[in-house]
Amino acid sequence: MFYRGISHHEANAEWIWSAPDGTKIYASRFAVYARYNWYYQVHRPVTTGRTFEKNFKWGEFDDVPFRFADGLAGEDLAYNLLNPVILYDRKKLKEAIEKMIEREGTHFTTPVFLAMHGHDISVAHPLEAQIINDAKKIFAGKYDIKHGSLEDFWNEALKYIDEKKLPALTGERRSYLKQGMWTFLFPGTISARTYLKQKDFGATNKLVRYAEPLANLAKTLGAEYPAKYIERAWSYLLSNHTHDANGGCAPDIVCQDMEYRYRKTSDIADIVTEDSMAHIIKNLSPEKCETGAVLLTVFNPLPFERTEVALVDIEVPRELMAKSVALEADSDKNIQIQPVSSEKSSSFVDSIWDVPTILESNRLKFYAKFANLPALGYRVYKIVPFGEERRIQASESIVKNHNTLVNKYIEAKVNTDSTVDIKCLKTGKVFNNLNYLVDQGECGNAWKHVAPQFDRIYSSMGCPTKICIRENGALVGSLIAEYDFMVPEDYGNGTCRSDKLVSLSVKIEYRLERESRFLQVKIEINNRASDHWLRVAFPSGINTDKSFADSHFDVVEREIKVPDSTGWMEQAFGTHPLQ
C-alpha cells in the first residue's frame, strides 16, 4: 500500500512493482482521497454535515469546549470537546456513497472498491456499526459492503486482478503529486531533525550488522539465541517508524520519546553483541598459547571476507612491561601496526562474585591492518609485548605535507578554505573544491522547504581556514581543517534574513587509510543560527543527465533535471535520500 511517492498519472489504484531481481508484487496507491476517502466523503457528511470544512462554530451544539488557561499549561493549547455531540443524518448516506464511487470508482481495476476510514487523531464513532449496517441495507442487491482490513481487501481484489492489464513500475517510488489529493512526496522531511536520522542509522546498524549476525554465530557454537531480547529491540526501533515521527515532523515531546527508544535499541544491541562475543571468546582453545597469554580476537560480523584497518585499544598487564606490541596469527602474517599512544594505566576487573579489583596495566593504542578476515567469523591474534617502542616499517607515510594525503588510489589536497581536491590516481580525474557549505534562509516547516521572499545565500568558499596534521603514519593519515562561517542569525523581519551575522564554528576531519579507495570526511558544526537550511556541496563536474545512489536494496538511477511541475498539485524539488 503506497500513500506517497506515486501519482495518479502513473497508474490506476492497482499496479505491479518489479524488483531488480525480477520478482514482482501487487501494489495499491489507494484512490483520489487516499486513506481518507470514506472518512471525508461519507462519514463527515452524515455525522457532521460537512465534508472538508473545518471551522468550529461556538455554541452550535452543547458539546462543552474545554481548554486550560493558566501559565503553567504551556503554549498553543487546543480545546477538547468534553461532550462531543453525536449526530447522524441517514438521509445523506446514499448520496454520499454514490458520489464517492462516482469520483473514485474508475481508479480501481477490479470490482472491489477500497473505502478507507479514520483520521490521524480519530477514534471509532459511536454509531459506526449502525452507519455501515444502514449502508448495507440501502445498497442491498447492488453493492456488497463489508467492514474489514487491508488484508481482506487484497484477498478479495486478487480474485479479479488481470496482471496483463496492470502497469509494471520499477525503481524507487518518489514521484511528486501531479494529480490527486494529500499524497505529497514531502522531500523536505529528509533534512528535518537530522539528529533523529543519525540515531536511527546508528541503532539499526548496531542491531542488524552486529547483534543479529553475532548472536547467530554464537548460536552455532552452543549459545542460546536471545530471541525475546532482539524482538524487544526491534519493537523499540519500529515504534519510531511511524510516518510523522520518523520523518522528523512530530512535536518535541514525541521526538524526545523517540530518542529514548533509539537509546534502548542501541543498548540492547550492544548487550547482545557483547554477550555473543563473550560466549565465543570464553570457549576458545587457541593452540600453542601458554598460560597467561594475552589474546586479541577480531570479529567480522558481515557475510563477506574483509581486509580492514582498525583502531585497537588494549590494556596489557604491567608486569609484561609492554611499551609496544606485535600481533601474531598463522593466517595473517606480517601485520602492519601504526602506534598511536602508550601510557601507564589501570583497569577495573569485574566479577559477579566479588568487588571490582584493579589490574595495573599499560594502555596501548594503535592502528592495525587485519587481512582477509573470514566472513561472519573471527580470528585470534596473540599479543607479543615489547619493552620499547617498536614500529613495523611499511611504505612511506600517507601524509605528504601539511595539507595533502596520498595512498595508491587517491590524492586529497585540502585547500585554504577547507575544501578538498581529490585526484583518482588510476584515471587522473580530478574533482575540485569538494565539501563546502551552502546556507540559505528557511521559513517553511518540517514537511516542506520554503525560502524567504527575499533570501540571501551564503557559501563557505573563501573562508580562511586553519589546517593541521592530526595523524601521520603508514596506515592512517588525517588532517583537521577549522574555520568560522558567518551567516544571518535568523529569519529577520519575516520577509528576509536578519542583517545580524553569527559565527558557525566548523571543524572538518579528512581521513585516509592506506588501502581505502575513498576519503573519509567528518564535519562538526556548532550551530548558533536558526531559520536556515545548511547543506554540504560536492560539485562533481560530471556532464550527465543521470545520477546513481545507494538505496535500501538497490543502486537507483535518478534523473538530475527537476521535472517541470507547472500545474501540478506539488512543486518538484531535486532533493533525494542517500543511504
Side-chain angles (χ1 to χ4, degrees), residues 373-389:
L373 292 169
L376 190 53
Y378 59 89
R379 181 180 295 140
V380 179
Y381 294 85
K382 180 181 179 181
I383 296 176
V384 181
F386 290 92
E388 57 184 20
E389 291 189 5

Side-chain angles (χ1 to χ4, degrees), residues 204-471:
T204 302
N205 197 50
K206 286 184 176 183
L207 186 56
V208 174
R209 292 185 172 89
Y210 289 89
E212 286 197 326
L214 289 174
N216 278 283
L217 179 60
K219 182 178 183 296
T220 64
L221 300 174
E224 181 180 354
Y225 187 76
K228 291 185 178 180
Y229 214 32
I230 288 179
E231 287 175 5
R232 189 176 182 185
W234 275 110
S235 178
Y236 279 122
L237 182 62
L238 294 179
S239 294
N240 281 348
H241 284 194
T242 55
H243 65 289
D244 280 339
N246 201 37
C249 313
D252 290 346
I253 193 169
V254 173
C255 296
Q256 291 167 11
D257 290 342
M258 291 177 64
E259 290 185 80
Y260 167 79
R261 288 191 286 269
Y262 283 135
R263 187 167 63 251
K264 296 299 289 185
T265 302
S266 296
D267 288 346
I268 292 173
D270 286 342
I271 293 171
V272 170
T273 299
E274 292 168 9
D275 288 349
S276 301
M277 295 169 68
H279 171 82
I280 295 170
I281 289 171
K282 74 177 183 180
N283 290 290
L284 290 175
S285 299
E287 299 178 357
K288 304 176 184 179
C289 280
E290 64 278 6
T291 301
V294 183
L295 305 177
L296 174 68
T297 305
V298 181
F299 288 85
N300 174 18
L302 298 182
F304 49 83
E305 186 179 89
R306 297 161 65 195
T307 294
E308 298 287 349
V309 172
L311 178 64
V312 180
D313 182 351
I314 59 175
E315 301 269 3
V316 181
R318 184 81 54 80
E319 60 265 24
L320 297 180
M321 298 182 292
K323 292 186 178 180
S324 63
V325 297
L327 301 178
E328 294 182 353
D330 291 339
S331 54
D332 191 4
K333 304 291 187 180
N334 302 318
I335 301 167
Q336 298 179 32
I337 288 178
Q338 177 180 319
V340 175
S341 64
S342 173
E343 61 182 357
K344 288 185 177 180
S345 180
S346 61
S347 178
F348 283 113
V349 180
D350 295 324
S351 169
I352 58 175
W353 311 122
D354 194 8
V355 299
T357 54
I358 298 175
L359 171 69
E360 298 298 329
S361 60
N362 287 345
R363 185 176 185 179
L364 305 175
K365 294 182 181 181
F366 55 88
Y367 289 103
K369 177 185 174 183
F370 301 105
N372 306 118
L373 292 169
L376 190 53
Y378 59 89
R379 181 180 295 140
V380 179
Y381 294 85
K382 180 181 179 181
I383 296 176
V384 181
F386 290 92
E388 57 184 20
E389 291 189 5
R390 177 176 179 269
R391 295 176 182 265
I392 295 179
Q393 296 297 323
S395 54
E396 58 186 16
S397 171
I398 291 174
V399 178
K400 289 306 175 186
N401 53 52
H402 74 284
N403 69 336
T404 306
L405 304 171
V406 180
N407 65 12
K408 62 182 179 181
Y409 298 110
I410 63 175
E411 176 183 278
K413 179 181 179 182
V414 181
N415 301 314
T416 55
D417 60 359
S418 84
T419 59
V420 62
D421 298 339
I422 297 180
K423 180 179 181 179
C424 175
L425 298 181
K426 180 178 180 180
T427 64
K429 174 68 176 178
V430 179
F431 300 88
N432 292 313
N433 300 316
L434 304 179
N435 193 38
Y436 63 89
L437 299 181
V438 177
D439 187 82
Q440 65 187 96
E442 177 62 74
C443 59
N445 52 44
W447 293 270
K448 185 178 180 180
H449 164 64
V450 178
Q453 182 179 1
F454 303 103
D455 199 4
R456 297 201 309 274
I457 300 176
Y458 290 74
S459 168
S460 68
M461 294 188 72
C463 289
T465 298
K466 298 177 181 178
I467 302 173
C468 69
I469 299 172
R470 182 177 183 273
E471 296 174 308

Side-chain angles (χ1 to χ4, degrees), residues 36-61 63 81 85 87-89 92 96 103:
Y36 302 126
N37 56 348
W38 175 280
Y39 183 84
Y40 275 107
Q41 297 178 93
V42 178
H43 172 76
R44 292 200 80 220
V46 302
T47 60
T48 70
R50 299 169 181 173
T51 303
F52 297 110
E53 302 87 351
K54 296 183 180 181
N55 58 310
F56 179 80
K57 298 179 181 179
W58 193 274
E60 182 179 12
F61 303 109
D63 41 18
L81 296 181
V85 63
L87 302 175
Y88 172 38
D89 188 347
K92 294 182 178 180
R103 293 188 190 104

Side-chain angles (χ1 to χ4, degrees), residues 176 185 187-188 448-450 533 562-563 565 570-576:
Y176 290 88
L185 182 61
K448 185 178 180 180
H449 164 64
V450 178
W533 188 20
V562 177
S565 54
E570 181 180 19
Q571 179 185 353
F573 291 91
T575 304
H576 298 283

Side-chain angles (χ1 to χ4, degrees), residues 116-129:
M116 296 293 292
H117 190 35
H119 205 272
D120 288 28
I121 56 175
S122 66
V123 297
H125 192 273
L127 301 181
E128 199 73 64

